[in-house]
Short mmCIF file of all heavy atoms in Angstrom, two decimals:
data_model
loop_
_atom_site.label_atom_id
_atom_site.label_comp_id
_atom_site.label_asym_id
_atom_site.label_seq_id
_atom_site.Cartn_x
_atom_site.Cartn_y
_atom_site.Cartn_z
N ALA A 733 38.07 13.60 30.17
CA ALA A 733 37.86 14.68 29.20
C ALA A 733 38.87 15.79 29.43
O ALA A 733 39.13 16.17 30.58
CB ALA A 733 36.44 15.24 29.32
N PHE A 734 39.44 16.30 28.33
CA PHE A 734 40.35 17.44 28.39
C PHE A 734 39.55 18.74 28.27
O PHE A 734 38.54 18.80 27.56
CB PHE A 734 41.36 17.39 27.25
CG PHE A 734 42.50 16.44 27.47
CD1 PHE A 734 42.45 15.14 26.96
CD2 PHE A 734 43.63 16.84 28.18
CE1 PHE A 734 43.50 14.27 27.15
CE2 PHE A 734 44.70 15.97 28.36
CZ PHE A 734 44.63 14.68 27.85
N ALA A 742 39.57 16.09 33.32
CA ALA A 742 38.55 15.65 34.28
C ALA A 742 38.35 14.15 34.14
O ALA A 742 38.39 13.61 33.03
CB ALA A 742 37.24 16.38 34.04
N ASP A 776 29.86 10.00 32.96
CA ASP A 776 30.48 10.84 31.93
C ASP A 776 30.71 12.25 32.45
O ASP A 776 30.01 12.73 33.36
CB ASP A 776 29.60 10.89 30.68
CG ASP A 776 30.36 11.38 29.45
OD1 ASP A 776 31.61 11.23 29.43
OD2 ASP A 776 29.74 11.93 28.53
N VAL A 777 31.70 12.90 31.85
CA VAL A 777 32.03 14.28 32.18
C VAL A 777 32.52 14.95 30.91
O VAL A 777 33.18 14.31 30.07
CB VAL A 777 33.11 14.34 33.28
CG1 VAL A 777 34.40 13.68 32.82
CG2 VAL A 777 33.37 15.78 33.72
N VAL A 778 32.19 16.24 30.71
CA VAL A 778 32.61 16.95 29.51
C VAL A 778 32.70 18.44 29.81
O VAL A 778 31.92 18.97 30.62
CB VAL A 778 31.63 16.68 28.35
CG1 VAL A 778 30.25 17.21 28.65
CG2 VAL A 778 32.15 17.25 27.03
N PHE A 779 33.67 19.11 29.18
CA PHE A 779 33.82 20.56 29.30
C PHE A 779 33.01 21.27 28.22
O PHE A 779 32.86 20.74 27.11
CB PHE A 779 35.29 20.96 29.15
CG PHE A 779 36.16 20.65 30.33
CD1 PHE A 779 36.83 19.43 30.42
CD2 PHE A 779 36.31 21.57 31.36
CE1 PHE A 779 37.65 19.14 31.50
CE2 PHE A 779 37.13 21.29 32.45
CZ PHE A 779 37.80 20.06 32.52
N SER A 780 32.51 22.45 28.55
CA SER A 780 31.87 23.28 27.53
C SER A 780 32.94 23.82 26.58
O SER A 780 34.13 23.84 26.92
CB SER A 780 31.12 24.44 28.19
OG SER A 780 32.03 25.28 28.90
N THR A 785 32.57 25.67 31.91
CA THR A 785 31.52 24.86 32.54
C THR A 785 31.84 23.38 32.38
O THR A 785 32.32 22.95 31.33
CB THR A 785 30.15 25.16 31.90
OG1 THR A 785 29.90 26.56 31.96
CG2 THR A 785 29.03 24.41 32.63
N LEU A 786 31.54 22.61 33.40
CA LEU A 786 31.73 21.17 33.38
C LEU A 786 30.37 20.52 33.58
O LEU A 786 29.61 20.88 34.49
CB LEU A 786 32.67 20.75 34.52
CG LEU A 786 33.21 19.32 34.49
CD1 LEU A 786 34.24 19.18 33.37
CD2 LEU A 786 33.85 18.98 35.85
N ALA A 787 30.03 19.58 32.71
CA ALA A 787 28.77 18.83 32.82
C ALA A 787 29.09 17.41 33.28
O ALA A 787 30.00 16.77 32.76
CB ALA A 787 28.03 18.81 31.49
N VAL A 788 28.29 16.91 34.23
CA VAL A 788 28.51 15.58 34.82
C VAL A 788 27.19 14.83 34.83
O VAL A 788 26.15 15.40 35.18
CB VAL A 788 29.06 15.70 36.26
CG1 VAL A 788 29.34 14.31 36.83
CG2 VAL A 788 30.29 16.57 36.31
N VAL A 822 26.90 12.68 27.96
CA VAL A 822 26.50 14.08 27.80
C VAL A 822 27.43 14.73 26.78
O VAL A 822 28.59 14.32 26.62
CB VAL A 822 26.56 14.80 29.17
CG1 VAL A 822 27.97 14.77 29.73
CG2 VAL A 822 26.06 16.24 29.05
N ALA A 823 26.90 15.72 26.02
CA ALA A 823 27.73 16.41 25.02
C ALA A 823 27.24 17.85 24.86
O ALA A 823 26.03 18.10 24.88
CB ALA A 823 27.66 15.68 23.68
N PHE A 824 28.19 18.78 24.71
CA PHE A 824 27.87 20.16 24.39
C PHE A 824 27.86 20.35 22.88
O PHE A 824 28.69 19.74 22.17
CB PHE A 824 28.91 21.12 24.98
CG PHE A 824 28.71 21.45 26.44
CD1 PHE A 824 29.43 20.78 27.41
CD2 PHE A 824 27.82 22.44 26.82
CE1 PHE A 824 29.27 21.08 28.75
CE2 PHE A 824 27.65 22.76 28.16
CZ PHE A 824 28.37 22.07 29.14
N LEU A 831 22.98 21.44 25.32
CA LEU A 831 23.55 20.26 25.96
C LEU A 831 22.67 19.06 25.60
O LEU A 831 21.44 19.14 25.67
CB LEU A 831 23.59 20.44 27.48
CG LEU A 831 24.33 19.37 28.29
CD1 LEU A 831 25.83 19.55 28.10
CD2 LEU A 831 23.96 19.49 29.77
#
Side-chain angles (χ1 to χ4, degrees):
F734 282 95
D776 197 25
V777 62
V778 63
F779 285 91
S780 62
T785 306
L786 192 72
V788 183
V822 60
F824 279 98
L831 188 74

